[in-house]
Amino acid sequence: MAAAKAKAKAKAKAEARPKAWAFGLVNCILYQAMYREGGGAALDDETVRRYATAMRAEPLSERPMAEQVAALRAVLATGTPLASTFDPYEGQEPFGEAEFRGFLARLADELESRGPRPPARAP
């Protein structure tokens, strides 16, 4: 009986762990913020709104938006360092871990508040 409980607990824990694609989504967002913003984006509310708009217009993943939001939240629930995946440009200040995690949490909230991505228009 105890072995079955332990096995069920281990299975539930493994299922709760974010999938590799979820970390890939976070890395795409970090890369954009670090390198596509001319030396690093300000991780402020304006950037949150811009990224949410961009992720709906040109998605980083083909997965439904609700699944992407859930993935962001699952990654945030881990203790895995997220802001140090890439080295900043020379002279560029790296994002702090708390700063980047806060940005991702606000982005997830913004995406969720906008609802599902609208279907593509037929030509």
Side-chain angles (χ1 to χ4, degrees), residues 16 18 71-80 82 101:
L72 289 175
R73 295 193 194 287
V75 168
L76 285 168
T78 71
T80 303
L82 304 175
R101 284 177 173 274

Side-chain angles (χ1 to χ4, degrees), residues 17-55:
R17 243 183 255 132
K19 305 288 187 215
W21 72 265
F23 286 98
L25 178 65
V26 168
N27 286 342
C28 285
I29 294 167
L30 175 62
Y31 185 90
Q32 294 282 341
M34 287 182 71
Y35 301 124
R36 301 250 174 164
E37 295 285 336
L43 300 182
D44 56 16
D45 290 338
E46 162 88 20
T47 305
V48 166
R49 287 187 293 275
R50 239 178 353 99
Y51 275 46
T53 298
M55 285 178 71

